[in-house]
């Protein structure tokens, strides 16, 4: 019994990490049809931002303040990644709208450049981020341990989703973004500056990748190729959920998380990956529009 | 022969001095030996490691160690009175590139020997090339054994110098229920086959065997499996980044080294820097050398390494094995009195060197070296404290011929 509960928790926590990564992609890929291969590098950027902030705290601030660096790292990695996202949108991506295949190549090029830049600045070896003391250990309930880090990440993801929905449904800028998602041409006719919406959306999407990177420092190592290992999973989730559908992305991420942890429990890690991918392929054969994608309003 | 060699050398030197086209006469004059550009007062050797790509993390420091050895030998007068000139090539973490660059080094640059490789895949890619060209390769990393090439010298541990004694040590001091976890490729799978056979014969028990893809980062499910299997010890053959995720998550799940210690075979000082010493404190690793290994040679070695490459750099087992490879080659050449591959190989048997890990000796039959086995415990500062050693150098036995329980393993591996 306890193993099922802990596995369920593991599944949700894995799913929430995947969701954080896929959330930004769902915005850029779903809204603007840009296959952003550099999304993984924005994750890497968020992770390195956390690392740098940690070094700053260690060197320049009193020891007592160290515990709080992580709280500051979250908005900072959002900002850094969002700024770079904005820069990339203005210099590369904006010339490639309506050309998804070209965007794939160009952004892939950008991703390779960013990886090399990271390697030049921080060196090829991985660096370690020390988690603040209050995130070490876990909550023990009825003989089961739930690591604080995982609980923290789940909470962080919930907060991100809440803020994103607040933005999309309650602010004028968010509503404009929704309008562009639904029908770009019509929104443009009605006076929405689609260009500005595109920039904002791209920046927000990249920012979420930054937060994902920040949270990944709690789990694994920080290296120049950190993002590449997650990018395929993220695309899978966005496609499985139904392109452009945030609700679908959320469901798909949680489903994949739980599914793969349970398959892994009964088989092995390698086999779980195979099963999950096979499942996605079969599902998309059966329902090509994804989990939430039945209503098509834009006529391409 | 030797006289003719010298005469031709002088000829080369003379020709080299007055003609810009030095390559051609060099080829002619060394045609009696199968390889080795011996132009004037230098001899060129190849250094072939991944300086880019995923393996660069580990292999760059091997190149540094080899260059340091070359500098030291050159400063002391060189080999056979010649200065060693390294030709550095990048294998780029790509196995066909390793084969191609090895071919280039042997055929075009006519190097006397190559120092290189880290992964077994890169070694297997270079193997046919060095054999066909009758070249020489010095391979410096512990590996899964079950191999022996007439053109390769192995200065890292083979299984009976690392894994087999580590398992014995676990059975004796920690417990007999062992959980095997590894990355899903050649080395862990072969190593665990050996561990399984060994435990079967010695009364231990494998409670579970798990493999994860290279680069895997979510270990919570496997940690759950560990919790329900309740092993005495975890034997870890994970490679690369996965180690970071595994150890961090193990700690978060509340499993400390006191509850279930982990014995690793691919985590050295360099990796500890990336993982964080705090996370690894109290866990074990099996190697032949640590930065803390207490010999006068090692003190100088570590000091020189830090002076040359920076105070924050650390040494480690593969780094040391790469360093001694250069010295062993140089000693064998001196003993042979020639750079000719056949003669060097013949002379290599029994060559000894006072290495940082202690005295090592080449076993001519297997072309591996005698090494001392050490188990170390990770300390808070990221260094190892030796808790056990084999007391003597262990004779290399790549096919585990001397172990009854290993019968049949070598056939399976090939």
């Amino acid at each position: 019994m306890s193993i099922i509960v802990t596995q369920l928790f593991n599944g949700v926590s894995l799913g929430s990490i995947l969701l954080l990564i896929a959330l930004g992609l769902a915005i850029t890929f779903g809204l603007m049809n840009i296959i952003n291969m550099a999304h993984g590098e924005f994750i890497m950027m968020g992770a390195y931002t956390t690392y740098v902030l940690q070094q700053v705290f260690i060197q320049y601030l009193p020891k007592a303040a160290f515990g709080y660096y992580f709280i500051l790292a979250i908005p900072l990695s959002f900002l850094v990644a969002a700024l770079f996202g904005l820069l990339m949108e203005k210099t590369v991506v904006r010339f490639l709208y309506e050309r998804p295949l070209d965007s794939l190549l160009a952004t892939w090029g950008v991703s390779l450049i960013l990886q090399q830049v990271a390697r030049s600045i921080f060196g090829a070896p991985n660096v370690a981020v020390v988690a603040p003391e209050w995130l070490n250990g876990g909550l023990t309930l009825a003989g089961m341990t739930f690591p604080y880090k995982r609980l923290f990440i789940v909470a962080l993801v919930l907060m991100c989703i809440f803020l994103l929905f607040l933005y999309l449904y309650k602010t004028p800028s968010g509503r404009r973004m929704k309008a562009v998602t639904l029908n770009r041409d019509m929104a443009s006719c009605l006076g929405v500056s689609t260009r500005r919406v595109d920039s904002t959306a791209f920046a927000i999407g990249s920012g979420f990748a930054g937060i994902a990177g920040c949270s990944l420092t709690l789990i694994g190592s920080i290296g120049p190729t950190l993002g590449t290992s997650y990018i395929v999973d993220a695309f899978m989730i966005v496609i499985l959920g139904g392109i452009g559908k945030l609700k679908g992305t959320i469901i798909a991420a949680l489903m994949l998380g739980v599914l793969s942890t349970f398959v892994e429990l009964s088989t092995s890690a390698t086999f779980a990956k195979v099963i999950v991918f096979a499942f996605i392929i079969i599902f998309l054969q059966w329902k090509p529009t994804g989990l939430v994608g039945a209503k098509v309003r834009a006529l391409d | 022969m030797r006289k003719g060699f010298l005469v031709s050398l002088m000829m080369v030197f003379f020709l080299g001095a007055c003609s810009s086209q030095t390559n051609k006469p060099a080829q002619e004059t060394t045609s009696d030996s199968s390889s080795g550009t011996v132009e004037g007062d230098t001899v060129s050797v190849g250094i072939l490691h991944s300086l880019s790509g995923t393996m660069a993390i580990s292999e760059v420091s091997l190149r540094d160690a080899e260059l340091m050895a070359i500098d030291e030998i050159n400063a002391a007068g060189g080999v056979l009175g010649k200065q060693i000139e390294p030709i550095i090539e990048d294998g780029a973490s790509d196995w066909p590139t390793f084969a191609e660059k090895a071919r280039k080094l042997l055929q075009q640059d006519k190097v006397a020997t190559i120092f290189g490789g880290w992964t077994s895949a890169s070694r297997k890619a270079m193997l046919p090339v060095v054999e066909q060209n009758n070249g020489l390769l010095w391979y410096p990393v512990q590996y899964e054994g079950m191999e022996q090439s007439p053109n390769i010298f192995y200065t890292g541990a083979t299984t009976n110098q690392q894994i087999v004694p580590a398992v014995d040590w676990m059975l004796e001091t920690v417990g007999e229920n062992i959980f095997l976890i590894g990355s899903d490729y050649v080395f862990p799978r072969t190593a665990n086959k050996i561990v399984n056979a060994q435990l079967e014969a010695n009364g231990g028990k494998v409670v579970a065997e798990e493999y994860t893809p290279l680069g895997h980062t979510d270990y919570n499910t496997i940690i759950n499996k560990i919790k329900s299997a309740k092993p005495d010890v975890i034997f870890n053959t994970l490679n690369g980044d996965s180690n970071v995720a595994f150890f961090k998550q193990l700690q978060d799940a509340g499993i400390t080294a006191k509850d279930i210690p982990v014995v690793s075979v691919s985590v050295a000082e360099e990796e500890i820097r990336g993982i964080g010493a705090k996370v690894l404190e109290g866990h074990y690793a099996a190697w032949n050398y640590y930065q803390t290994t207490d010999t006068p040679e090692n003190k100088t070695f570590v000091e020189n390494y830090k002076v040359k490459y920076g105070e924050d750099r650390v040494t480690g087992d593969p780094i040391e094995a790469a360093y001694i490879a250069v010295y062993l080659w140089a000693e064998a050449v001196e003993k042979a009195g020639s750079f000719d591959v056949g003669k060097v190989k013949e002379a290599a048997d029994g060559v000894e060197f006072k290495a940082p890990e202690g005295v090592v000796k080449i076993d001519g039959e297997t072309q591996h070296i005698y090494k001392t086995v050490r188990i170390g415990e990770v300390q808070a500062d990221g260094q190892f404290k030796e808790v056990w050693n084999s007391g003597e150098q262990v004779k290399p036995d790549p096919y585990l011929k001397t172990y009854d329980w290993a019968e049949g393993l070598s056939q399976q591996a090939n």
Side-chain angles (χ1 to χ4, degrees), chain A residues 5-276:
Chain A
V5 176
T6 43
Q7 274 310 100
L8 205 60
F9 174 72
N10 286 345
V12 170
S13 91
L14 177 65
S16 62
I17 292 165
L18 292 175
L19 175 58
L20 203 48
I21 293 161
L23 215 50
L25 207 60
I27 297 171
T28 52
F29 188 40
L31 174 63
M32 295 127 87
N33 241 341
I34 289 289
I35 302 177
N36 181 15
M37 295 300 282
H39 192 72
E41 276 55 51
F42 292 127
I43 299 173
M44 177 263 287
M45 225 173 261
Y48 273 118
T49 306
T50 311
Y51 171 72
V52 170
L53 189 71
Q54 176 199 250
Q55 296 307 102
V56 170
F57 263 70
I58 288 176
Q59 288 192 350
Y60 299 106
L61 291 170
K63 244 196 165 146
F66 181 74
Y68 302 103
Y69 89 88
F70 205 79
I71 300 290
L72 194 61
I74 297 167
L76 195 67
S77 27
F78 179 89
L79 272 180
V80 170
L83 279 177
F84 269 94
L86 198 64
L87 189 72
M88 186 169 131
E89 202 273 341
K90 298 259 187 229
T91 52
V92 181
V93 173
R94 86 160 19 167
F95 308 104
L96 300 170
Y97 289 123
E98 316 289 319
R99 290 157 65 190
L101 286 180
D102 299 355
S103 77
L104 182 142
L105 273 184
T107 54
W108 190 46
V110 172
S111 96
L112 292 181
I113 293 170
L114 289 177
Q115 277 181 30
Q116 199 53 49
V117 168
R119 210 169 274 131
S120 305
I121 299 175
F122 299 101
N126 292 344
V127 293
V129 170
V130 183
E133 201 52 48
W134 50 272
L135 278 175
N136 286 337
L139 186 71
T140 309
L141 271 182
M144 296 171 279
T145 311
F146 304 99
Y148 287 135
K149 284 173 193 160
R150 298 278 171 162
L151 290 169
F152 180 76
I153 291 173
V154 173
L156 180 65
V157 174
L158 284 176
M159 199 187 72
C160 286
I161 294 171
F162 175 71
L163 288 177
L164 184 64
F165 273 87
L166 209 61
Y167 171 73
L168 284 179
Y169 287 93
K170 298 286 176 202
T171 66
S173 149
R175 289 202 182 111
R176 279 198 290 275
M177 195 185 288
K178 272 178 67 71
V180 174
T181 318
L182 289 172
N183 193 328
R184 176 177 287 268
D185 295 336
M186 186 61 81
S188 178
C189 285
L190 291 172
V192 175
S193 165
T194 53
R195 177 151 285 186
R196 193 181 300 158
V197 168
D198 286 340
S199 301
T200 323
F202 206 87
I204 292 177
S206 311
F208 274 113
I211 296 185
C214 179
S215 70
L216 281 179
T217 62
L218 295 177
I219 298 174
S221 63
I222 318 298
T225 53
L226 171 73
T228 42
S229 43
Y230 291 98
I231 188 82
V232 175
D233 286 346
F235 271 109
M236 283 284 178
I237 287 165
V238 174
I239 293 168
L240 181 66
I243 297 160
K245 303 289 175 201
L246 282 180
K247 218 188 294 167
T249 308
I250 296 168
I251 298 170
L254 290 178
M255 218 168 80
L256 276 199
V258 173
L259 184 71
S260 57
T261 42
F262 272 97
V263 175
E264 195 183 328
L265 184 70
S266 46
T267 57
S268 71
T270 321
F271 202 59
K273 271 228 140 69
V274 177
I275 299 254
V276 167

Side-chain angles (χ1 to χ4, degrees), chain B residues 2 102 154 160 183 206 214 234 253 359 407:
Chain B
R2 191 162 153 73
Y154 305 77
N160 81 310
S183 295
V206 172
L214 278 167
I234 301 166
V359 177
E407 218 174 301

Side-chain angles (χ1 to χ4, degrees), chain B residues 277-409:
Chain B
K278 255 198 175 153
V279 185
L280 280 168
E281 199 181 342
H283 290 296
Y284 302 95
W287 289 106
N288 306 106
Y289 165 89
Y290 300 110
Q291 185 175 314
T292 51
T293 299
D294 191 19
T295 64
E297 286 79 16
N298 189 35
K299 258 195 199 108
T300 345
F301 172 61
V302 174
E303 233 174 71
N304 290 347
Y305 193 79
K306 284 182 183 279
V307 165
K308 203 169 164 80
Y309 299 116
E311 196 49 42
D312 60 328
R313 291 282 292 265
V314 288
T315 63
D317 186 282
I319 294 174
E320 191 254 8
Y323 174 79
I324 61 176
V326 181
Y327 271 98
L328 285 170
W329 168 77
E331 304 255 327
V333 167
E334 291 281 354
K335 192 174 159 199
S338 156
F339 290 104
D340 178 78
V341 170
K343 286 181 190 153
V344 172
K345 269 171 50 183
E346 212 170 288
D349 187 22
V351 162
E352 281 194 343
F353 174 64
K354 268 193 166 176
E357 65 176 88
V359 177
V360 294
K361 189 173 84 178
I362 298 179
D363 175 43
E365 190 197 331
T366 59
Q367 304 204 149
H368 288 59
I369 65 178
Y370 284 74
K371 291 169 91 79
T372 308
V373 189
R374 296 183 161 92
I375 310 266
E377 186 188 331
V378 182
Q379 306 294 296
D381 61 352
Q383 291 294 326
F384 284 96
K385 187 180 91 185
E386 193 176 303
V387 292
W388 178 87
N389 70 54
S390 57
E392 51 170 13
Q393 303 132 286
V394 176
K395 184 180 158 68
D397 182 10
Y399 289 97
L400 298 173
K401 281 180 197 150
T402 50
Y403 301 88
D404 290 336
W405 50 260
E407 218 174 301
L409 279 178

Side-chain angles (χ1 to χ4, degrees), chain B residues 39-61:
Chain B
E39 281 179 40
D41 49 6
T42 64
V43 53
S44 49
V45 300
I47 288 183
L48 177 47
H49 287 293
S50 300
L51 307 178
S52 58
T54 161
M55 289 309 298
I57 293 174
S58 309
E59 287 190 63
V60 165
S61 43

Side-chain angles (χ1 to χ4, degrees), chain B residues 240-263:
Chain B
D241 297 1
S242 296
N243 275 310
V244 186
F246 174 63
F247 280 106
K248 272 192 176 179
Q249 289 164 31
L250 197 65
Q251 195 189 38
D252 283 337
I255 300 176
T256 64
K258 280 201 192 79
D259 308 321
I260 309 173
V262 182
V263 178

Side-chain angles (χ1 to χ4, degrees), chain B residues 205-218:
Chain B
K205 199 177 137 215
V206 172
V207 293
E209 194 172 338
E210 290 287 337
Y211 297 96
T212 64
L214 278 167
H216 192 69
T217 50
D218 202 283

